[in-house]
Amino acid sequence: MSRLRTTAALLATALVTVGLATAGGPGPVGAVAAPATHRVLFDNSKAETAGNADWIVSTAQPDPLGENAHPTTDKNWTGALSSWGVALQQTGQYSLKTLPPGGTFTFGTGAPLDLANFDTVVIPEPNIKFTPDEKAALMHFVQNGGGLFVIVDHTMSDRNNDGIDSPAIINDLFTDNGVDDTDPFGFSVDLVKIHDENPRAVNDPADPVLHGPFGTVTGSIIRDGTVFTLKPADNPTVKGIVYRPDSSGNTGAFFVTSTFGNGRIAAWGDSSPPEDGTGQPHNALHDGWNDPAGTDAALALNATAWLSKA
């Protein structure tokens, strides 16, 4: 009887082992699959710290973990976007890098910071125009499944005085990229300056950015920014999800999402909402991340998750 029980126990163990191996696929017997790591590249190659800007997650570049490998607050990383970076890092599901000054966007070269190695790229208020090769790389990245998050500022916001600002740079990317110059995302940046408003989110319970893993978005803030004009005839997937007061439809959109090929894009009309008020000592910064007039943290983080297909 004892031998029968032992044999039965061994058979049961074998069946469980087979089941685990079948369910878990290749790998050690009984191993639990590790959570997916979503790879995000923040850009600092386009003068994102020019003037009073500080649009970086950390001064340690390309790897913010070089400043603090286990950040618990936004103070552990130096940069006005540190709250964004630390919040992603603390989930254990994101891997962050920065494209440093002097870097260029490439796609498919095999280089460590090549876009093919990432799920999402965040470009926060670029102040240097993309080269033709960079524009093609960004478009191919999105076309092949990548997520592109662009943040612009108001017109006449040329922080490094090179003759071009972020609205013009992003409009140039959309209309002269050598891959699809026919308004591929279905929207453009308005060349305006809106001083102080609190845009509101649309009522759409099914929208994954407004109702995502990091909370519910009710609105945002404009502290000298711009908006977008939607052109659904060019791309029917374009969608405004946050609008300035008394605006709707194709005008006055402050936060926009769209798709192109297998990828996704999100655009924000001001750099003030995602900044957290911290950064390098010489910069005077505004804490939009925690501003009670908006839910900017949830908007930034939910959009990152959506773009990364998390």
Side-chain angles (χ1 to χ4, degrees):
M1 184 67 69
S2 177
R3 179 178 294 178
L4 287 174
R5 283 197 295 267
T6 301
T7 302
L10 289 172
L11 178 60
T13 300
L15 289 172
V16 170
T17 300
V18 170
L20 283 171
T22 301
V29 173
V32 178
T37 299
H38 309 293
R39 305 157 300 172
V40 182
L41 179 67
F42 282 83
D43 182 44
N44 187 30
S45 71
K46 299 295 176 283
E48 278 90 352
T49 59
N52 199 48
D54 204 310
W55 315 144
I56 55 175
V57 296
S58 169
T59 52
Q61 300 173 13
D63 190 350
L65 297 181
E67 184 174 10
N68 188 312
H70 304 286
T72 57
T73 75
D74 57 17
K75 305 296 192 301
N76 295 143
W77 288 356
T78 306
L81 302 186
S82 60
S83 288
W84 189 348
V86 168
L88 292 174
Q89 182 67 33
Q90 287 183 314
T91 68
Q93 298 175 12
Y94 289 84
S95 171
L96 311 182
K97 292 291 188 294
T98 296
L99 184 65
T104 58
F105 288 114
T106 61
F107 183 73
T109 66
L113 297 180
D114 185 275
L115 289 168
N117 297 322
F118 296 91
D119 301 301
T120 292
V121 58
V122 180
I123 306 178
E125 196 189 336
N127 268 273
I128 297 174
K129 187 177 180 180
F130 304 111
T131 68
D133 286 345
E134 287 184 306
K135 288 187 283 186
L138 287 164
M139 295 301 296
H140 285 307
F141 169 67
V142 178
Q143 198 172 39
N144 284 276
L148 174 61
F149 200 154
V150 296
I151 301 170
V152 296
D153 206 4
H154 58 85
T155 191
M156 304 297 287
S157 57
D158 179 11
R159 295 182 187 268
N160 62 340
N161 300 310
D162 67 346
I164 192 167
D165 57 16
S166 58
I169 290 168
I170 296 303
N171 280 338
D172 176 71
L173 170 65
F174 291 173
T175 60
D176 186 20
N177 54 66
V179 175
D180 187 335
D181 298 335
T182 61
D183 188 29
F185 301 120
F187 66 95
S188 60
V189 186
D190 291 359
L191 303 183
V192 298
K193 180 176 181 178
I194 302 165
H195 177 56
D196 193 347
E197 291 184 358
N198 299 320
R200 297 294 90 190
V202 301
N203 182 18
D204 186 350
D207 187 88
V209 175
L210 297 180
H211 304 276
F214 294 95
T216 297
V217 175
T218 58
S220 187
I221 63 170
I222 301 179
R223 303 295 182 260
D224 291 333
T226 187
V227 288
F228 306 96
T229 295
L230 278 55
K231 304 170 187 177
D234 294 342
N235 185 331
T237 70
V238 69
K239 182 180 181 182
I241 61 173
V242 178
Y243 283 83
R244 64 184 305 193
D246 301 320
S247 294
S248 62
N250 295 335
T251 60
F254 182 59
F255 199 101
V256 176
T257 61
S258 185
T259 66
F260 174 65
N262 293 319
R264 300 169 173 178
I265 182 172
W268 213 341
D270 191 3
S271 52
S272 295
E275 68 167 298
D276 60 18
T278 71
Q280 299 171 82
H282 61 277
N283 292 322
L285 300 165
H286 171 79
D287 186 3
W289 189 260
N290 297 300
D291 193 314
T295 45
D296 298 310
L299 185 52
L301 295 167
N302 284 348
T304 307
W306 176 75
L307 291 167
S308 303
K309 301 179 181 176

